[in-house]
Amino acid sequence: MSNNLDKKQIEVLETAVIAARGNEDVTELINALTQLGQAQLSTGNVPNALTQFEEGLELAQAAGDKLLEGRMWGYRGICLMKLGNSHFAQIALYKSHNLAKELDNKPLLIDALTQLGTLQMDSGQSAKAISKLEQAMGLALASNDQPRTMHLAGKLGNLFLSLSSLEKAVEYFSLALQAANELDQQYAACSYKLSIGQAYLTNEQYDTARELFEEALALAGELESPPAEMSVLSSLMRTHIGIGNSRMVLLYADSALGLARNLGDESAEIGNLNLLSAYLIKQGQFKKLPTYLQRGLEIATANEDWEWQLTMQDRLGLTHYQLGQFPEAQAAYEAALETAMQLQDPEAAAYLYGRLGAVLAEQDQMADATKAATQALKLGREQENWSLVGEQQILLAFASVEQSDVSQAIDYCQQAIATFQQTGDGDQLAKAKTLLAELEHLAAPV
């Protein structure tokens, strides 16, 4: 529906440009081109938008209208930023900036500084970005320009949050929230409440974050905005993960997952499934996991996302193993191994061969377990994953005992002791030494 509306809107604006060409009013034509360019920009058609703004720029320069020229340079810079041409984008934005200073036009100057700050932020020049954005903020505050103040405060909040400067992030998000309330922009207010909560959550101030998220959830409900509700529910899930309240984690997770599924937002859904499954594994709550992991695998498979497939298959293998469902664990690990091969990820393959060997050993399939452990041992050495190497040496020691080859078991156990001495893993070293003593006793003549 929205695509049809966008298309209809574009057609109306194209008609307005055609009509403006028939008149002799250059300003009218520039404004028509600007509106068409803005609409195309909002729908992602950046090349066509750039075409409109470049024509408007030529017309403004020919007419000697410096204000319109400054605006067109700004729009040209925005388009070039979106197209990844940062060098020419910066040139265009500085032209807009210089014209704004010449004309002493505060709104145009604020916009130019904002876009220059955004460009520097995107290119990792955080200090320069902060300087430009705070300069723009000062001008917006001095001009009592609330919409620009709100926009800039939000940008600065996000920038400081990304830099883990949490006090500054909260300061700017709070300023943005105040402006949103004064402008009665309730969707923006909900977003900024959520952002402030994110800053407190990052700082592990869970009670404060929870209160803010609950306020944001109530506001999202009043606004009847399912996407906003989904974002807040996800944040509440993460907050209760931090608190360690499993009941509330599941409550908010199920609500967030249901909304994501209804909205068709599979990216949000699998992201929440990832957080939830990792938490439940850490808590040892394996009985609840298969349904969530199967849904995650379903999304990953439908989208041919190998990385997510590998994550879900691996966790399914671990879950079934912990539940004593060894055939299911074996199937999951074998599928995960195929995915790891597709990704050409030898480190993951080494780990998965190790897990598969353990599952096969649980099913007394010692010949196959030995093959899997041997392959894990080989790959583990290649990847210099000595912890994995030691685990496989122990597994091979047990397999050798099962196959009545005690001398080979002793050899593997001695190798494991040397490996764990190298890694400094005291617990595993002690277990390996205990096993060696048992094996040597077994091998001693009667």
Side-chain angles (χ1 to χ4, degrees), residues 12 41 71 112 191 348 376:
V12 169
L41 196 58
R71 287 175 181 164
S191 174

Side-chain angles (χ1 to χ4, degrees), residues 156-212:
L156 281 160
N158 283 318
L159 179 51
F160 279 111
L161 186 60
S162 72
L163 296 172
S164 298
S165 183
L166 302 178
E167 287 186 12
K168 291 293 288 184
V170 169
E171 177 188 331
Y172 278 114
F173 283 136
S174 298
L175 186 58
L177 176 60
Q178 180 184 339
N181 285 330
E182 290 176 6
L183 291 165
D184 197 27
Q185 295 286 330
Q186 292 305 296
Y187 284 99
C190 181
S191 174
Y192 294 129
K193 277 184 182 288
L194 179 59
S195 295
I196 297 168
Q198 299 285 5
Y200 282 112
L201 177 58
T202 301
N203 205 34
E204 298 183 356
Q205 294 176 254
Y206 299 120
D207 288 339
T208 305
R210 176 180 53 78
E211 290 174 8
L212 283 158

Side-chain angles (χ1 to χ4, degrees), residues 107 174 230 244 271 347 351 380 395 433:
S174 298
M230 180 186 68
E347 187 175 351
Y351 161 78
L395 192 151
K433 285 182 175 179

